[in-house]
Amino acid sequence: MASEEASLRALESLMTEFFHDCTTNERKREIEELLNNFAQQIGAWRFCLYFLSSTRNDYVMMYSLTVFENLINKMWLGVPSQDKMEIRSCLPKLLLAHHKTLPYFIRNKLCKVIVDIGRQDWPMFYHDFFTNILQLIQSPVTTPLGLIMLKTTSEELACPREDLSVARKEELRKLLLDQVQTVLGLLTGILETVWDKHSVTAATPPPSPTSGESGDLLSNLLQSPSSAKLLNQPIPILDAESEYICSLALECLAHLFSWIPLSASITPSLLTTIFHFARFGCDIRARKMASVNGSSQNCVLGQERGRLGVLAMSCINELMSKNCVPMEFEEYLLRMFQQTFYLLQKITKDNNAHTVKSRLEELDESYIEKFTDFLRLFVSVHLRRIESYSQFPVVEFLTLLFKYTFHQPTHEGYFSCLDIWTLFLDYLTSKIKSRLGDKEAVLNRYEDALVLLLTEVLNRIQFRYNQAQLEELDDETLDDDQTEWQRYLRQSLEVVAKVMELLPTHAFSTLFPVLQDNLEVYLGLQQFIVTSGSGPRLNITAENDCRRLHCSLRDLSSLLQAVGRLAEYFTGDVFAARFSDALTVVERLVKVTLYGSQIKLYNIETAVPSVLKPDLIDVHAQSLAALQAYSHWLAQYCSEAHRQNTQQFVSLISTTMDAITPLITTKVLKQRRLHLFSNSPSVLLFIYPFITPHNVQDKLLLSACHLLVSLATTVRPVFLISIPAVQKVFNRITDTSAQRLVDKAQVLVCRALSNILLLPWPNLPENEQQWPVRSMNHASLISALSRDYRNLKPNAVTPQRKMPLDDTKVIIHQTLSVLEDIVENISGESTKSRQICYQSLQESVQVSLALFPAFIHQSDVTDEMLSFFLTLFRGLRVQMGVPFTEQIIQTFLNMFTREQLAESILHEGSTGCRVVEKFLKILQVVVQEPGQVFKPFLPSIIALCMEQVYPIIAERPSPDVKAELFELLFRTLHHNWRYFFKSTVLASVQRGMAEEQMENQPQFSAIMQAFGQSFLQPDIHLFKQNLFYLETLNTKQKLYHKKIFRSAMLFQFVNVLLQVLVCRSHDLLQEDIGIAIYNMASVDFDGFFTAFLPEFLTSCDGVDANQKNVLGRNFKMDRDLPSFTQNVHRLVNDLRYYRLCNDSLPPGTVKL
């Protein structure tokens, strides 16, 4: 090697060149290769030691430390012991000599390199490693350096990476735990010393609004007067060095608390000291002084003080997050809560100088976040534990939480606080359910707080009270399928609903009058409608009036959603008790929806159309949606009405239909135009965009359709079909001259009409269901809906007219989307309903089968047809009958040749793959069918899977089709076990435990091999799915115990799963894989321990014989699940560790 000085100059030159803007990527690669080669040379570390002590170039220092890091973590085993001693001696000396002048990132990297040596060698070869750290901390000159070393040690040794054996990891944790008491004592001393030293000078502070605060709740929250007095001491002003030392000490504590157990080592004095520092976060006075004094240094000081509060709260939250609390630590916890709630009272205290909100706005945002995290942890983890303490005032705590919640300066902060209230309400609900006898006592205790919460949350969603904040919310950008405004409203309404569950009467009496006020405004708009030349217009034009109307309409929309959200609390056991309130609500909703539909507010001109028109549409849509939410209440009312024959119920339903019908509107094209274009569908399609389809916005139309579906499906009144409004809708949908609704609306309306005719009426015997009439009406409905589709089928009498392909596709899409939806919604109903449905559909199904071969190369059409057939197989396969079902299956099997499958999967992209997936899903339904009807298809289905589909997809990296194929194979095995394993009760009795007779062995072996191959592929979802399938087959059918599996496959699977763990390719599934290995090994533990494990270790490359023996000895012969899986993970960890060690040895090393 060249001289050290020359090498240093060359390295500095290379580093400067490497990071220069003009250096090309190619030259950078050359330099990188040169540096890597230099680092691999034996003895390169000596040069790096010289570089570190002789250069001020940051790049060179960082490179040199990286060489050391690589040497220690990857090559340490092969470094001569004399060199190790020299490195252990030189690096700490270098750190001590230069730590004050080195850039912080170089200093921290050097600390980590020294800790890495300790990770390998302490205490055997580096016995003074930890002692040195403690000495650094105790010496005032090097305290900051010692604290950085301590934190790095905690990070690197308490939870080390995988490059250590399990035994070494356990040893390090034990060594560190032995030092915890000493370390915590030192850290307590540092923090207390700084606090006491600076408190002396701050004993007589200048008068200020915050000095000497003592709150009303203090005597409750803090039992001992001394602690109250202690926490009321003025906060000292720290110098920069003291703040730096305290921040390092608190960072160390936060990391230590993340892994040490709760124990007596965490003393009351340490906790009190941490809380002293937590006060820095809520000390506005210090922040203000910093900003008033003007200099940037003072501002930084103010920020640092705030940071001390954040770090202290991090320490507290680390302790709070531990769910397992020893009995002796509970008293400490109570003390912590008392001290934290002192802080909560401090930051929510209202006085002349500050409102609560302005105080929170002035605090560090991170501090507020940490404080909110504390409150969440308190409620979710510890409330049940603490509530029983008589000296802890929960109601007063809720008062403080209330103030904290509703003065949050940010929306995110408010959302987080609402989450805490949700947790509290869930806790209260579950407590009441588990102690029903105490229900009244519990509710009385919290009633005032809950009513206050409900009122304030309702105020917060209303522009009337909270306009400034609500207008800041984004109602356009979608995030997780909801806008910021929708999220705000949803979270608020969840709180309202949970209070309603606990206090239904209070909640209703709070909400309904507010709804009424806004309804009066909306219902009063009719008097302001005037007719002008261009149509009706809303005669409200003054800017202020428009703004007030906008706010009122927005509030009404939100309150309608709130009323809809509460619908579930009026049904079930409480139906009779709360009938009057529910009826009042429903009557109002029916009135509002009818009013909106009759005066057509959605079509009225307004002074500010971009604002008021969407508001009016939204109110109308929300009134329909709210009424839909009460469909289950209406269904219960329907049952009662059937017994009492009340006219009131009939009136509610009829009026609702009168509100819905005008919205499901289709404009009829003039007959003349229709005649002109009747023979040219393509021209009709061309002019379609220029014909206004209807004046009802989609939002309103869909709300009306959903309500109609709920009436037809959930309520099911007998008289629904005879209501004129329903017949009007029926006529419109079946009228071919009327224009079709938008796709989604058409599907919903057809579903509703079909359900009216198909679903059995509640509370009526079979002979009063009028099935013959309803069946006839349903047939005519389906006939009208599918007329164009059925005409696509050519026959001998009238050859098919040539129609453009695109037009044909439109007809197929429109018809099948409606028919598929009708079938899907009837699939879980009574046999009679399904029979009628299939009778109506029969011709359309036959047309579909006849058309299928003609469209086999049009993957978009095939996709829709197969979706339809899949829905038919799932819902109506019994009604279709065996011969026709067999015909469908055979047609599909004939059409999906290997060439067709390859074309779909390889060349038609995602649509082609979807086609194959749907075909496989249909076969899944077939193989699950009980009985012998479809068993003759099993050989063809298995052959299709293993000989045609599997070879195409096996080696493709894409997950397409694989999941469906393996599900089909699993279902085939699971539901047709006797196809492979013949077993009779008599044979089992005669043979005792003898093996079952095996059939179709080649097919079974091929399927198992495919499962095994899937575990070698990177797709983690497929891996998880297939592992679950194997485990299910073992649970249900004893797969692992079968002779063929045990003798030929068992240990092959174990081997593959172990290799997957060693490769760490599917780390997220470690636990699942460990359990699967246990279940397989438990079939033959003796074989696993005596034959498989030695053989597995023998076949492992990268480890020597001695290491294999150690691995074998460390794998204990435990046969319980937790111990066995622990041994598996130990084996995997240590095998990887030994390979890493062996890779780091210099070439030619002789291992004894």
Side-chain angles (χ1 to χ4, degrees), residues 736-848:
T736 50
S737 65
Q739 193 173 316
R740 201 174 187 274
L741 296 172
V742 293
D743 275 2
K744 199 169 179 184
Q746 181 83 4
V747 166
L748 288 169
V749 174
C750 294
R751 182 198 305 175
L753 295 176
S754 173
N755 285 352
I756 289 171
L757 297 168
L758 288 181
L759 298 182
W761 292 321
N763 308 310
L764 277 183
E766 191 69 14
N767 59 355
E768 292 180 31
Q769 292 286 348
Q770 299 178 23
W771 289 127
V773 180
R774 294 167 76 183
S775 174
M776 198 167 60
N777 286 334
H778 194 265
S780 61
L781 170 68
I782 300 297
S783 173
L785 294 175
S786 61
R787 185 173 293 113
D788 289 345
Y789 180 66
R790 286 180 289 110
N791 287 341
L792 294 176
K793 183 185 179 184
N795 56 53
V797 183
T798 57
Q800 186 180 13
R801 285 180 304 168
K802 278 290 178 194
M803 185 186 288
L805 180 62
D806 286 348
D807 297 356
T808 309
K809 284 185 176 182
V810 168
I811 291 170
I812 292 172
H813 164 73
Q814 290 180 343
T815 310
L816 290 185
S817 60
V818 167
L819 299 185
E820 184 185 332
D821 184 79
I822 287 171
V823 175
E824 197 171 326
N825 278 277
I826 208 71
S827 59
E829 295 299 331
S830 65
T831 306
K832 186 67 181 175
S833 298
R834 285 181 289 160
Q835 277 175 352
I836 294 171
C837 185
Y838 183 65
Q839 283 166 12
S840 305
L841 282 168
Q842 195 165 6
E843 190 183 345
S844 297
V845 176
Q846 288 166 346
V847 168
S848 300

